[in-house]
């Protein structure tokens, strides 16, 4: 039998036999030590903002000229997030390649101004299905297939593939859920193995935790956080950094306690307290020197470019300096089914924030539950808003209320932005009240309606199965010259937008709608798929079958959102 020391593992991998316990599937050409790994885990409770922390730290490193690549590892068995209810899990974020992912991928895309792909997202379901597929294919050469090393091996393979495809200096691994969950335990084990295999100065473990401050005590308590960190250590992982989430800045005493109980030097125990805007968090982490702590720990000082950082950080601060200094304010109404959970509209709220900061205007949001809205009371619901968004959605609930809101916006010059379902609602409203097609509807709402102006895409009709028959991901949209969309997009002939829909304008109705004055200013190239609509004689009435909120970035707000907010500012006067 061959004998290997851990240092030799990579070199000798090709000589391993079936007798060896080592199992190290590596992408071809993988170079140990080239890519470093920062691994972010949560303790005490979920919803701490692991994605926010991880993306902010990644941003600080990216700004120094390093190539960073984030990946989220989800514990659930779903293959993607497409079938998840946004009310329970937050919005479904769609990537350009059509992957439906967790909303954290949106945080990464925005913070890093990077388009991500399915290489940046894994679920337990994907990992297991890949292992089972390999087993059936005979790839495991007569071995019994086990959680360790095969399932953990698959996790490491995914990370190393990303390291190579992204040519990353640092891969940021965010593990979903909290330490102690049964479903993510194999990810944590895989990270323990990764640290051993990659060797010293290759990994940096970050434990995110929560410091409680019960009102009755008026004092910060770190016990739960200590226990969480202890649990991580029981799994064989010594955190290198402890990030304390809390409502108010974490006091020195609580940090000292975490330092003592976690074997982590005090300068690496940092406070990440609540902040009015997530865009203020990179500065918070930078002020505690966390960026350089990580760079030193990973020994990549020689890879950074401080001149580049000065420029990038300057650009970022020009943006963040405007936060909280807005001189104007507007209120945008958002209609929607999931009105009680802000996470279901995370990207829309971000896109409004980007546009607002850019225009020096604070954007307040008023949630409008449309199940109670009718034509007779729409004015009452919309009296105090300066603009309105009808966002994406599925199913029939509240749709008539949304259509009533669209009518009010159209007839009263109220700035309107329709997103996906909101685009469809605008078409239905126009068909009914301007074209005189009283029975116009979407077949999603009423499959037997006399005028199905919105119907299942012909190309999608052929494909069966829930989640399998949607038009997903980035598509080019051809812009019609001399329209509002064309002006907003800087006179571009074509723009890239992201889609997630099953229904569209039935091409048989396009002529009727256009003859009555509706302008389709964005279309799919070579297909009669209508993607942007507008009304020329309205201050701002725009709908899109796409989801522009998914591609708005802090320093590059989406033009349709800046369009809406500027129109709202003008209306308010
Ligand atoms: N339910 C509509 C469709 O499937 C709209 C989808 C959406 O708003 N994302 O086409």
């Amino acid at each position: 039998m061959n004998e290997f020391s851990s240092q030799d593992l990579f070199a000798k991998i090709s000589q391993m036999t079936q007798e060896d316990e080592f199992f190290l599937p590596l992408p071809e050409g993988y170079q140990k030590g080239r890519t470093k790994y920062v691994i972010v885990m949560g303790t005490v409770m979920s919803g701490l903002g692991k994605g926010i922390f991880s993306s902010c730290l990644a941003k600080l490193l990216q700004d120094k000229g390093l190539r960073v690549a984030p990946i989220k590892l989800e514990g659930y068995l779903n293959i993607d997030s497409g079938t998840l209810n946004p009310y329970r899990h937050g919005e479904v974020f769609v990537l350009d390649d059509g992957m439906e992912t967790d909303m954290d991928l949106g945080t990464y895309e925005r913070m890093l101004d990077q388009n991500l792909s399915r290489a940046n997202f894994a679920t337990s379901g994907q990992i297991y299905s890949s292992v089972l597929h390999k087993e059936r294919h005979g790839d495991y050469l007569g071995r019994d297939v086990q959680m360790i090393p095969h399932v953990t091996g698959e996790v490491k393979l995914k990370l190393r593939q990303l390291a190579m495809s992204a040519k990353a200096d640092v891969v940021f691994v965010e593990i979903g859920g909290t330490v102690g969950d049964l479903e993510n335990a194999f990810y944590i084990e895989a990270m323990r193995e990764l640290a051993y295999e990659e060797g010293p100065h290759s990994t940096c473990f970050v434990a995110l935790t929560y410091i409680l401050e019960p009102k009755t005590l008026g004092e910060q308590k770190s016990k739960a956080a200590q226990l969480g960190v202890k649990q991580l250590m029981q799994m064989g992982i010594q955190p290198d950094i402890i990030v304390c989430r809390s409502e108010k800045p974490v006091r020195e005493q609580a940090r000292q306690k975490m330092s003592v109980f976690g074997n982590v030097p005090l300068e690496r125990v940092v406070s990440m307290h609540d902040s009015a805007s997530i865009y203020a968090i990179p500065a918070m982490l930078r002020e505690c020197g966390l960026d350089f702590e990580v760079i030193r720990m990973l020994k990549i000082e020689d890879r950074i470019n401080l001149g580049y950082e000065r420029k990038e950080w300057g650009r970022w601060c020009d943006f963040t300096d405007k936060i909280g200094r807005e001189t104007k304010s507007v209120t945008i109404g958002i209609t929607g089914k999931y009105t009680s959970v802000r996470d279901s509209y995370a990207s829309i709220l971000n896109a409004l924030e980007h546009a607002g900061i850019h225009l020096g205007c604070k954007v307040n949001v008023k949630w409008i539950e449309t199940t109670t809205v009718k034509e007779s009371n729409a004015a009452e619901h919309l009296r105090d808003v300066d603009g309105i968004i009808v966002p994406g959605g599925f199913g029939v609930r509240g749709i008539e209320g949304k259509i009533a809101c669209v009518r009010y916006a159209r007839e009263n010059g109220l700035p309107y932005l329709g997103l996906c379902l909101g685009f469809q609602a605008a078409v239905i409203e126009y068909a009914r009240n301007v074209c005189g097609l009283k029975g116009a509807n979407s077949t999603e709402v009423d499959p037997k309606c006399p005028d199905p102006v919105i119907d299942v895409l012909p190309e999608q009709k052929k494909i069966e199965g829930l989640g399998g028959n949607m038009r997903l991901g980035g598509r080019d949209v051809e812009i019609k010259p001399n329209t509002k969309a064309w002006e907003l997009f800087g006179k571009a002939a074509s723009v890239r937008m992201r889609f997630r829909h099953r229904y569209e304008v039935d091409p048989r109705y396009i002529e009727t709608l256009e003859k009555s004055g509706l302008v389709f200013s964005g279309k799919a190239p070579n297909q009669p798929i209508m993607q942007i609509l507008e009304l020329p004689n309205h201050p701002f009435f725009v709908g899109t079958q796409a989801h522009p909120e998914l591609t708005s970035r802090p320093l590059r707000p989406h033009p349709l959102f800046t369009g809406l907010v500027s129109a709202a500012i003008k209306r308010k006067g």
Side-chain angles (χ1 to χ4, degrees), residues 391-395 419-422 424 444 470 500-504 545 547:
F394 292 83
L419 307 171
C420 207
L421 183 68
Q424 299 172 354
E444 181 181 18
M470 281 221 261
R500 182 174 188 248
H501 66 119
R502 210 172 268 133
Y503 297 82
E504 64 170 31
Q545 189 62 81
H547 288 280

Side-chain angles (χ1 to χ4, degrees), residues 25 81 97 131 145 222 319 402 457 467 474 484 502 536 565 567:
S81 310
D97 66 1
V131 169
V145 182
S222 64
F319 163 75
K402 289 173 196 169
L457 314 174
K484 193 166 286 166
R502 210 172 268 133
V565 176

Side-chain angles (χ1 to χ4, degrees), residues 396 428 441-449 451-456 461 503:
V396 304
I428 297 168
N441 214 331
S442 160
T443 51
E444 181 181 18
V445 180
D446 179 5
K448 298 212 174 72
C449 64
D451 279 302
V453 288
I454 304 292
D455 198 2
V456 175
K461 270 186 182 154
Y503 297 82

